[in-house]
Amino acid sequence: MSHNSPGPSAKTGAVRLHRIASHDGLVLAVDDLGPLDAPVVILLHGGGQTRHSWSGAATALAQRGYRVINVDLRGHGESEWSEAGAYSLNDRVADLEAIVAKLDRPFALVGASLGGPTSIHAVARAMRPASLVLVDIVPHPEPEGISRIVTFMRAHTEGFATLDEAVDAVAAYNPERPRPRDPNGLMRNLRQREDGRLYWHWDPRIVAARPQDLHDMVRQSAAKLPQIGVPVLLVRGLKSDVVSDAGVAAFRALVPDLEVADVGGAGHMVAGDRNDAFNDAVTAFLERHLPAG
């Protein structure tokens, strides 16, 4: 995936799909768009999402002149599931290391929800991005908000008989977001099995561990960020139930130079709720620390 890879190098060009094997042989699905010789932005989605949740942001960043690497996390989307149930933070960091090993340009990490702890832990383990963007996640998240996400992901293991049932489940989880006019877009997050039922695209074992264990590890890793000196931006939705003022203050106590961009009208899914505002905040930060030009 070096800048000499085949494919267009026009400002956005076609999306190039890569399959990248991680340390344990698990294969990740990765979209690659934008100029091949440009600084790189790696997008890491949240738990229960896919790389398609970044579609608007990925296109906007490519149009600004960045090369964008947009990955399905292990156990999600078109990436493989781990037969051994290997979904620890260290496994996810190893996936990220496998992607970075194929780059020969400076890069930034943008991690939403689960992608955020992965990014923090990767930096603590010696990865050196030019900058780090965390999307509505902090080392001290609100337990109720995290519990709501995990409860949703642990539910419906029996699948859905129809697409409308899946739409109803999403609407119950996020009642403030308008129901989609065309629910077929949700099929990107579902898989139809031999029994004819529709199942979420993620491996249920992803949420088998206690969230508290992950956040304990992230807090230890975040404490190393000031010594490392990587610029950090937190983009939070002001309607989020995951990141509170107290969580921001606790993060700033760990990282005094933390920058914060508040996005009004957005919940935990900031990029999906207010894509334009999200893109503006992220690109302004990236252009200071990783200029595309």
Side-chain angles (χ1 to χ4, degrees):
M1 223 164 53
S2 73
H3 74 287
N4 294 317
S5 300
S9 58
K11 195 140 195 186
T12 52
V15 175
R16 306 170 288 269
L17 177 63
H18 301 289
R19 304 286 181 182
I20 297 177
S22 188
H23 67 297
D24 55 358
L26 184 143
V27 177
L28 305 166
V30 178
D31 281 346
D32 175 4
L33 64 158
L36 290 164
D37 57 354
V40 180
V41 180
I42 302 174
L43 301 176
L44 302 167
H45 64 74
Q49 297 181 310
T50 70
R51 68 190 193 278
H52 299 298
S53 65
W54 292 117
S55 294
T59 299
L61 287 164
Q63 288 173 343
R64 297 285 186 105
Y66 290 99
R67 182 181 180 187
V68 181
I69 303 297
N70 187 9
V71 59
D72 274 341
L73 303 185
R74 64 170 50 217
H76 290 78
E78 295 178 65
S79 289
E80 290 181 347
W81 292 13
S82 168
E83 292 184 7
Y87 295 114
S88 72
L89 208 51
N90 287 332
D91 290 310
R92 297 193 184 284
V93 169
D95 294 345
L96 186 52
E97 290 169 345
I99 293 167
V100 168
K102 296 183 179 294
L103 302 176
D104 58 0
R105 291 288 185 272
F107 65 94
L109 299 176
V110 180
S113 199
L114 179 60
T118 303
S119 301
I120 291 172
H121 196 52
V123 172
R125 276 188 28 171
M127 188 172 289
R128 292 296 177 264
S131 58
L132 171 61
V133 179
L134 305 171
V135 185
D136 211 68
I137 193 65
V138 290
H140 294 81
E142 292 301 303
E144 289 184 7
I146 296 296
S147 176
R148 205 166 69 88
I149 295 169
V150 172
T151 298
F152 174 77
M153 291 185 66
R154 287 175 176 168
H156 309 294
T157 55
E158 74 289 353
F160 304 98
T162 66
L163 179 58
D164 283 341
E165 285 185 8
V167 173
D168 289 342
V170 173
Y173 171 74
N174 196 351
E176 294 189 9
R177 181 177 287 189
R179 292 173 73 94
R181 292 187 199 132
D182 180 6
N184 287 312
L186 191 60
M187 285 301 298
R188 283 179 166 175
N189 295 335
L190 294 161
R191 301 288 181 268
Q192 188 168 33
R193 296 186 188 165
E194 291 180 359
D195 61 5
R197 294 179 68 81
L198 298 169
Y199 295 83
W200 293 125
H201 62 84
W202 62 76
D203 187 340
R205 290 175 296 177
I206 287 168
V207 285
R210 292 192 324 144
Q212 182 62 37
D213 295 338
L214 180 144
H215 295 300
D216 286 345
M217 185 179 294
V218 172
R219 282 191 278 273
Q220 294 174 19
S221 294
K224 300 176 183 178
L225 292 176
Q227 290 76 34
I228 295 168
V230 174
V232 183
L233 170 68
L234 167 65
V235 183
R236 71 159 171 169
L238 287 178
K239 295 169 69 176
S240 170
D241 60 355
V242 172
V243 176
S244 65
D245 288 344
V248 174
F251 195 9
R252 187 166 271 131
L254 289 174
V255 183
D257 292 334
L258 175 71
E259 297 184 39
V260 180
D262 291 330
V263 179
H268 185 55
M269 309 298 182
V270 183
D273 291 344
R274 292 284 314 280
N275 193 249
D276 288 347
F278 171 81
N279 291 343
D280 288 346
V282 172
T283 53
F285 177 76
L286 291 175
E287 284 169 359
R288 281 191 286 123
H289 299 288
L290 186 68

